[in-house]
Amino acid sequence: MYLTRFRVNTARSEARRLLGSPHRMHGAVNMSFPVPPTRDGTGPRVLWRVDRDTPAQTLLFIVSPTRPDLTGLVDQAGWPAADEPGWTTYGYEKFLAGLAQGDTWGFRLTANPVHNIHHQYSKPGDPTKRAAHRTPRHQIGWLLERQERAGFAIVEKPLDRRLLPEGDEHELIVRDQQPLQFRRPPAKSGRDDVRITRVTFDGRLRVTDPDLLRRTLTQGLGKAKAYGCGLLTLAPVR
C-alpha cells in the first residue's frame, strides 16, 4: 500500500477544471495506474481526497495498493518545468502494521453521509431512495453509527470542555459541506447526472480494532469513493 501527496497548481485552468469535476479528477487519478486495482470490494482500492487547508495550498492525497505515476497529472495540474517531481509517495504498509488497540490519532475524513428514505407518496414495501444528510448533527450521527464497524471510537470530550448541553460530546468538527452536481458520460441506463454532498470531518479517534481500521484505511468509508469521498487519514495527536 502507498500514500501519495500531490500539490495542485490552482493557477492553471486545467487544474481548476479537475477540481471542479470529481468525475474528471477520478479519471485523472485512475490514469496514474497502468492496471487499475479491483473495485469489487474484495480488497484495497484507489481512494483520493482533495484538501484545501489554505488559499495558497491545495493537496491531492491518494491511497493505493500500487505505486502511482503522476507524470500526466503534473502536466495537467502541476509544475511541469520544476526541478522537483511534483508528488511524494510513501510506503504505507509499515504504518498500517503498527496500528495498535488503544492508540489515539488525529484524523480527517471526507465523506458522503447518506441515508435511505421513502418517497412522499410511497406505500409500504416500495423501494427507498438515497438522500444526503444536510445538517452537522445528522452528519455526525452518520459517522458515529459507523465507527465501531470501522475499527475506531471517536474520542469523547471531558464534561468541562463541552460548550453545548447536547451535540458537543466528541472531539469532532464538521466543515466544508459541498453539495455537488456534475455530469459524466451517459451510461447504459441513460443517467449521466451525479449529485453528492461531500463533508469533511476533523477530530480524534481511538483504535478499537486494528484489523477493521486497516480495512477502513485501505477500502474507504461510505459511498461515492470514486468521487473523492471515503478516504480516512491519521496524524499524530498534538
Side-chain angles (χ1 to χ4, degrees):
M1 293 297 301
Y2 297 90
L3 172 66
T4 299
R5 182 180 63 197
F6 173 86
R7 187 178 177 192
V8 182
N9 183 355
T10 56
R12 302 184 62 183
S13 59
E14 184 61 26
R16 295 193 296 272
R17 289 180 68 198
L18 289 174
L19 293 172
S21 170
H23 178 72
R24 289 179 184 273
M25 184 65 83
H26 167 64
V29 169
N30 274 357
M31 289 298 291
S32 303
F33 301 92
V35 180
T38 178
R39 292 176 54 190
D40 60 7
T42 60
R45 58 175 295 163
V46 174
L47 302 166
W48 62 271
R49 186 184 76 219
V50 173
D51 285 0
R52 297 180 178 91
D53 287 332
T54 69
Q57 182 166 271
T58 297
L59 299 174
L60 169 68
F61 289 93
I62 302 171
V63 165
S64 57
T66 57
R67 183 185 292 271
D69 179 356
L70 301 187
T71 304
L73 198 54
V74 171
D75 291 339
Q76 282 183 281
W79 287 266
D83 292 333
E84 300 297 324
W87 75 92
T88 307
T89 297
Y90 307 90
Y92 209 25
E93 292 288 355
K94 184 175 180 180
F95 174 81
L96 294 171
L99 294 172
Q101 186 174 4
D103 286 351
T104 301
W105 294 92
F107 77 89
R108 174 168 293 174
L109 167 69
T110 293
N112 175 38
V114 296
H115 61 136
N116 293 321
I117 62 172
H118 288 282
H119 292 277
Q120 183 177 0
Y121 302 106
S122 62
K123 300 175 183 177
D126 285 351
T128 58
K129 144 179 163 175
R130 188 180 296 166
H133 284 301
R134 302 292 185 186
T135 67
R137 175 173 170 266
H138 289 102
Q139 291 158 355
I140 289 173
W142 174 89
L143 182 57
L144 293 175
E145 288 174 0
R146 285 156 179 78
Q147 60 180 345
E148 182 178 357
R149 298 192 302 273
F152 63 84
I154 297 173
V155 175
E156 294 189 4
K157 290 182 179 180
L159 290 174
D160 61 356
R161 289 185 52 213
R162 299 180 186 180
L163 303 179
L164 301 172
E166 184 178 354
D168 191 35
E169 296 89 355
H170 297 87
E171 296 273 3
L172 179 65
I173 61 171
V174 185
R175 60 182 183 82
D176 296 342
Q177 177 168 295
Q178 289 182 297
L180 299 171
Q181 180 176 348
F182 54 94
R183 299 183 71 85
R184 61 184 176 187
K188 293 181 180 178
S189 64
R191 298 175 60 188
D192 56 357
D193 280 347
V194 178
R195 293 178 177 85
I196 61 173
T197 297
R198 286 196 314 214
V199 300
T200 296
F201 300 93
D202 284 334
R204 294 186 180 187
L205 62 77
R206 186 179 67 259
V207 181
T208 57
D209 188 317
D211 289 334
L212 287 178
L213 182 55
R214 279 188 278 269
R215 176 185 173 91
T216 301
L217 292 169
T218 57
Q219 298 192 29
L221 184 62
K223 304 293 184 182
K225 297 183 182 74
Y227 299 125
C229 299
L231 174 56
L232 173 72
T233 54
L234 306 181
V237 175
R238 295 179 181 177

